[in-house]
Amino acid sequence: MKKPAVVLIIVLLVGLAAFFGYRSYQAESERALADQRNAAERATEEQRRAEAERRAQADAEARRLADLKTRQDMADAEKNLAQLRSEQAAAEAARRAAEEEAAQLAKETERLTREKEAAQGEARRLAALREREAAEAERARLDALQKLQDSEQQKRELIDREAARLAALKRQQEIEANQHREYLTRSIYPNDYKRREHYYMQVDLFNAAQDAPPARPAPLK
């Protein structure tokens, strides 16, 4: 064969080899790239599934936590509501008790006011009564003192009059006694005279009566 033909054949073979080699390389590269793309897609899909699963789990956990929080909030709300109702009931009971106490206090205040007014009225009445009794007692004392003074004055006047009368009577009796006093004398009788002792006794009694002071009148009552 001619050398150019051989070279041409060699060039063609080399070209074919290069072409097929390139085609094979390209196909292999494409397969590798496809495998890479598939692996990447599978990884992406797996990542998406994992992400979706994580999101689902996160959403489920979030829903669980939200539900738990809702239940907790509802429990807290019910507890707060019960506490509020209890506080309202206690406040209402305290209000009613305060109203009853205020009403009782008002009644007690009114009663004490009435009793105070009654006591003040009674005190004024008793004070007026004591003042009237004191005035009457003072008038009675003054009247009794005046009567006593009048009685003492009357007694003194009566005593003075009686003393003056007695003095005058005594002076009169003394004058009359001095003017008319007469004494009996004893006659001498013999010892054997039977009435001699009786006669002497009568004479002595008569003379003693003449010497005795006049009898004082009975005191006035």
Side-chain angles (χ1 to χ4, degrees):
M1 295 178 66
K2 293 182 177 180
K3 186 176 181 180
V6 173
V7 172
L8 179 59
I9 291 171
I10 293 171
V11 171
L12 288 174
L13 290 173
V14 170
L16 288 173
F19 174 76
F20 285 112
Y22 175 75
R23 291 292 300 273
S24 176
Y25 171 76
Q26 186 177 10
E28 186 65 26
S29 297
E30 288 179 355
R31 281 195 300 271
L33 183 60
D35 291 339
Q36 291 178 355
R37 284 197 299 269
N38 290 333
E41 289 177 357
R42 285 194 299 271
T44 301
E45 184 65 23
E46 186 67 24
Q47 185 177 3
R48 282 197 298 268
R49 283 197 300 271
E51 185 68 25
E53 186 177 355
R54 284 195 300 270
R55 284 197 301 270
Q57 291 177 357
D59 292 340
E61 182 67 16
R63 284 192 298 273
R64 187 185 69 80
L65 292 177
D67 184 62
L68 179 62
K69 188 174 185 306
T70 300
R71 288 196 298 270
Q72 186 66 35
D73 291 341
M74 290 180 63
D76 293 340
E78 290 177 357
K79 182 179 179 181
N80 293 333
L81 181 60
Q83 183 177 359
L84 180 61
R85 288 175 178 172
S86 177
E87 291 176 354
Q88 289 178 348
E92 181 66 19
R95 184 186 63 81
R96 288 195 298 269
E99 289 179 353
E100 293 177 358
E101 185 177 359
Q104 192 69 24
L105 182 60
K107 292 180 180 178
E108 185 67 15
T109 303
E110 184 179 359
R111 184 184 67 81
L112 291 177
T113 301
R114 289 196 302 269
E115 291 181 356
K116 180 180 179 181
E117 292 176 353
Q120 290 176 349
E122 182 66 13
R124 288 192 296 269
R125 187 186 69 81
L126 292 176
L129 180 60
R130 286 194 295 269
E131 184 177 357
R132 188 164 55 252
E133 290 177 350
E136 292 176 355
E138 182 64 18
R139 284 195 298 270
R141 187 185 69 82
L142 294 176
D143 292 342
L145 181 60
Q146 185 64 39
K147 290 179 181 179
L148 179 62
Q149 291 176 352
D150 294 342
S151 177
E152 292 294 332
Q153 182 66 26
Q154 291 176 0
K155 286 182 179 180
R156 285 193 298 270
E157 293 177 354
L158 183 59
I159 290 172
D160 292 341
R161 288 196 301 270
E162 184 63 17
R165 187 182 68 80
L166 291 175
L169 180 61
K170 184 177 180 180
R171 286 193 300 270
Q172 183 67 28
Q173 288 177 348
E174 290 176 352
I175 293 172
E176 292 178 354
N178 291 329
Q179 291 177 354
H180 302 287
R181 180 176 296 175
E182 295 179 356
Y183 293 95
L184 295 178
T185 60
R186 295 180 179 180
S187 298
I188 303 302
Y189 291 96
N191 291 332
D192 58 351
Y193 188 73
K194 295 181 180 180
R195 295 185 302 171
R196 187 180 66 173
E197 293 181 0
H198 182 68
Y199 170 74
Y200 288 162
M201 185 180 295
Q202 287 180 349
V203 171
D204 291 338
L205 290 175
F206 179 79
N207 292 333
Q210 292 295 326
D211 293 335
R216 298 181 63 183
L220 296 177
K221 294 183 181 180

